[in-house]
Amino acid sequence: MKHFLLILLGAAILAGCTVGPNYKHPKIATPPSYSQTNAAAASSTNQPESLARWWTVFHDPELESLVQRALQNNRDLRQAASRVRQARAQRGVVASGLLPEIDATGGFDHARGSKNVNIPSAAFGAGGGGGGAQKAVAHSPRQRTDATTTSARTPSATPPGGPQSPFGLGGFPGSETDIYQMGLQTSWEIDIFGGVRRSIEAAWANIAATEEGRRAILIGLLAEVATNYVELRSVQNQLQIARGMLQSQQDTLAIINARFTNGLSTELDFQQQTFEAATTTASIAPLEMREREIMHALAYLVAVDPGALDGELAGPRDLAEAPLPPLGLPSDLLRRRPDVRQAERALAAATAQIGAATADLFPKFSLTAMAGLDSSRAENIMDWSSRYFAFSPGVSWPILDWGRIHSNIKVQNELQAQALLAYENTVARALRDVEDALVRYDRELAHRQALGAAAHAGELALRLARARYERGLSDFLNVLTAQRSLLAAQDSLAQSDAAIRSDVVKLYVALGGGWEP
């Protein structure tokens, strides 16, 4: 016993050490600047405060209201928050491995031993016979005898049919026994080589990774709300354009009808304009359908019934031009993007798991103890003489495990290598997201500028064509061509406006904005 205590003392001195690799933050090379910068986007200084509430750059109270309701009520976000709480609770489960386990025990047994059990003398030790049995029972810390009843008792486990004894199930041959018992039992495995501590380290990293995952979902939610809202306003603008063009076409149709009645126009002109008006009318229904679908999508994101926002979101509304955020440096993405931070914490957890697996190679020291009271009579259970106790220090060391532990270490090493590659891949994807958002915004600006010029020219062309037709200086084909061109240019311009605003949203998201409190 003294030698074992010395071993435990030495083990306690070593308890500060943990096996396995210590985590080091990976070094990732990033370019010094973004390649797709322009005069509107270029900036060398990161300003986090300009990214925290990026949706306010549109100066739209309705959008801000939708965002706030989504942050409060969205089910995906609430589910992500629940996963964070789950990860924290799981860390508590892992951390409990550092503490001793204490169980309260208690019970009552009534048993009778069979008379038809042969009792070999070896069962009693050197004394032989019944006296030897009495001696064996008296010297066992797990057995009790009183003046009136002889019994055998194992506090920690009782097989079906009564207490176990050398005489078979039940007890002494032909004897009935009662046992009342209460006590405590404790076991403690000392974390000498840090296996549990490495598991706790991994659990902390998993908590951080889960929290970053929640933030990534939050950013995705913000982007989805803003993108849907931008598309809704674009569709409503397209509807306004189509309805305005339909009204213009119907006015022209009335003019043609009057001219046809007076013999100044042909039936062909009347039928062609009727066809154009019907075609424009047909284009309105799909736009109205898409408008309702987007309203339903926004209602889903803020966790209300599908039609709850229809009245609130009805009618077209122009969005302000949104400025681009300051880009900062590419290396800033490593600390701003939640998906990058999540991948880094997953790598830390995988590294810690290597240490937890490596600890299985070393011996495990444990302490087991029990103490309590038992008696054959209930009235004697609280007597000091009814006490029993046992103390069992132990050590175990795997000698032949057929390579299981070494294989598990290899598995954890490969998982760490995969986590490192996932981290590097996430960083590369983050850089690509920013570059793609920049080039889309830059090219869409040029696209919209050309569409704006085309729409302006189309308005002038239609005005001139209609005036010449009304004066009889040209046929109606020029009016039809100008109508079609103007409608197409105005529709494309509305879509381009929405695309530019969506590109701004994507850039803010690519830079990791929006998750900060």
Side-chain angles (χ1 to χ4, degrees):
M1 180 66 180
K2 180 173 66 175
H3 294 87
F4 190 84
L5 291 176
L6 291 175
I7 293 175
L8 288 181
L9 179 61
I13 297 175
L14 294 174
C17 70
T18 49
V19 297
N22 293 320
Y23 177 70
K24 295 181 180 179
H25 198 288
K27 301 295 184 181
I28 299 292
T30 56
S33 62
Y34 296 106
S35 61
Q36 297 294 336
T37 56
N38 51 43
S43 174
S44 59
T45 303
N46 195 19
Q47 299 176 15
E49 64 276 6
S50 65
L51 303 181
R53 293 175 53 84
W54 55 262
W55 55 91
T56 60
V57 300
F58 291 104
H59 302 292
D60 191 300
E62 181 63 33
L63 174 58
E64 295 180 26
S65 174
L66 289 171
V67 166
Q68 293 304 321
R69 281 178 278 176
L71 293 178
Q72 294 173 2
N73 304 323
N74 182 261
R75 298 179 184 90
D76 291 334
L77 193 58
R78 289 158 60 189
Q79 186 178 11
S82 176
R83 285 194 290 268
V84 174
R85 295 192 295 270
Q86 175 189 347
R88 290 172 179 165
Q90 185 63 37
R91 189 213 66 84
V93 173
V94 175
S96 65
L98 288 176
L99 303 174
E101 178 182 345
I102 301 176
D103 299 321
T105 62
F108 167 74
D109 286 317
H110 177 80
R112 180 185 185 279
S114 171
K115 289 184 177 182
N116 297 322
V117 175
N118 293 324
I119 306 175
S121 60
F124 303 105
Q134 296 286 352
K135 181 179 179 181
V137 171
H139 288 171
S140 172
R142 295 194 178 186
Q143 297 174 345
R144 294 290 176 269
T145 307
D146 63 18
T148 59
T149 306
T150 305
S151 63
R153 168 69 176 158
T154 303
S156 59
T158 300
Q164 181 69 59
S165 78
F167 316 108
L169 297 177
F172 287 100
S175 300
E176 294 189 7
T177 59
D178 289 333
I179 293 294
Y180 299 88
Q181 186 266 336
M182 66 175 70
L184 296 174
Q185 183 171 331
T186 181
S187 60
W188 183 26
E189 182 178 312
I190 306 172
D191 189 37
I192 301 298
F193 296 99
V196 177
R197 278 171 286 156
R198 287 298 192 191
S199 296
I200 295 174
E201 181 182 335
W204 277 117
N206 283 328
I207 291 174
T210 307
E211 174 61 30
E212 297 302 337
R214 185 194 68 83
R215 291 170 174 171
I217 290 176
L218 188 151
I219 288 181
L221 172 64
L222 295 174
E224 197 169 357
V225 170
T227 301
N228 275 281
Y229 187 78
V230 167
E231 185 182 359
L232 174 66
R233 294 313 183 192
S234 173
V235 170
Q236 290 174 336
N237 285 337
Q238 290 175 264
L239 273 169
Q240 189 177 36
I241 291 169
R243 288 165 179 160
M245 179 58 70
L246 177 60
Q247 183 62 51
S248 176
Q249 291 170 342
Q250 290 173 341
D251 292 343
T252 302
L253 184 61
I255 295 173
I256 295 174
N257 187 40
R259 289 171 60 86
F260 176 68
T261 302
N262 296 322
L264 300 176
S265 180
T266 65
E267 184 179 359
L268 176 61
D269 293 343
F270 178 81
Q271 294 300 335
Q272 285 178 325
Q273 184 64 9
T274 301
F275 171 79
E276 291 296 321
T279 301
T280 303
T281 302
S283 69
I284 291 176
L287 291 174
E288 290 175 336
M289 178 185 67
R290 183 57 185 155
E291 179 188 28
R292 294 293 180 177
E293 289 177 344
I294 300 173
M295 289 179 179
H296 297 165
L298 288 169
Y300 170 79
L301 293 174
V302 300
V304 296
D305 294 335
L309 301 179
D310 290 0
E312 178 182 338
L313 298 175
R317 180 183 298 178
D318 291 331
L319 287 175
E321 285 282 351
L324 288 185
L327 298 182
L329 301 174
S331 58
D332 294 336
L333 292 180
L334 305 185
R335 63 179 181 83
R336 291 203 54 83
R337 291 259 303 215
D339 56 342
V340 174
R341 294 156 59 102
Q342 181 183 19
E344 185 273 330
R345 288 292 83 199
L347 175 60
T351 303
Q353 290 292 1
I354 296 175
T358 304
D360 290 338
L361 290 172
F362 297 88
K364 299 184 184 303
F365 297 89
S366 62
L367 295 175
T368 302
M370 64 178 65
L373 301 167
D374 63 7
S375 173
S376 294
R377 295 184 178 182
E379 60 268 24
N380 296 332
I381 187 67
M382 301 305 296
D383 291 350
W384 179 247
S385 59
S386 298
R387 72 188 184 279
Y388 71 87
F389 65 88
F391 177 72
S392 303
V395 60
S396 65
W397 198 343
I399 297 176
L400 186 62
D401 68 347
W402 305 104
R404 178 187 61 83
I405 296 176
H406 289 85
S407 296
N408 187 39
I409 294 173
K410 291 179 181 179
V411 168
Q412 300 305 323
N413 275 300
E414 291 303 321
L415 290 175
Q416 184 206 37
Q418 295 169 29
L420 177 59
L421 290 172
Y423 174 68
E424 294 173 349
N425 189 55
T426 305
V427 173
R429 184 172 60 248
L431 292 170
R432 188 191 70 181
D433 288 346
V434 177
E435 297 282 5
D436 287 348
L438 286 172
V439 72
R440 278 195 301 263
Y441 178 83
D442 184 66
R443 293 297 85 205
E444 193 60 47
L445 279 178
H447 184 216
R448 186 182 66 171
Q449 184 177 4
L451 288 173
H456 179 68
E459 291 176 354
L460 295 177
L462 177 59
R463 192 179 304 121
L464 292 173
R466 184 176 294 163
R468 289 177 60 82
Y469 171 72
E470 292 174 356
R471 292 196 299 268
L473 299 178
S474 66
D475 59 21
F476 190 65
L477 180 61
N478 292 330
V479 177
L480 290 177
T481 302
Q483 285 179 345
R484 294 170 185 171
S485 300
L486 177 58
L487 179 60
Q490 289 178 334
D491 190 74
S492 298
L493 181 60
Q495 295 183 47
S496 181
D497 283 337
I500 287 177
R501 288 162 176 79
S502 294
D503 291 338
V504 172
V505 171
K506 291 175 183 177
L507 183 56
Y508 275 102
V509 171
L511 292 173
W515 60 263
E516 306 92 331

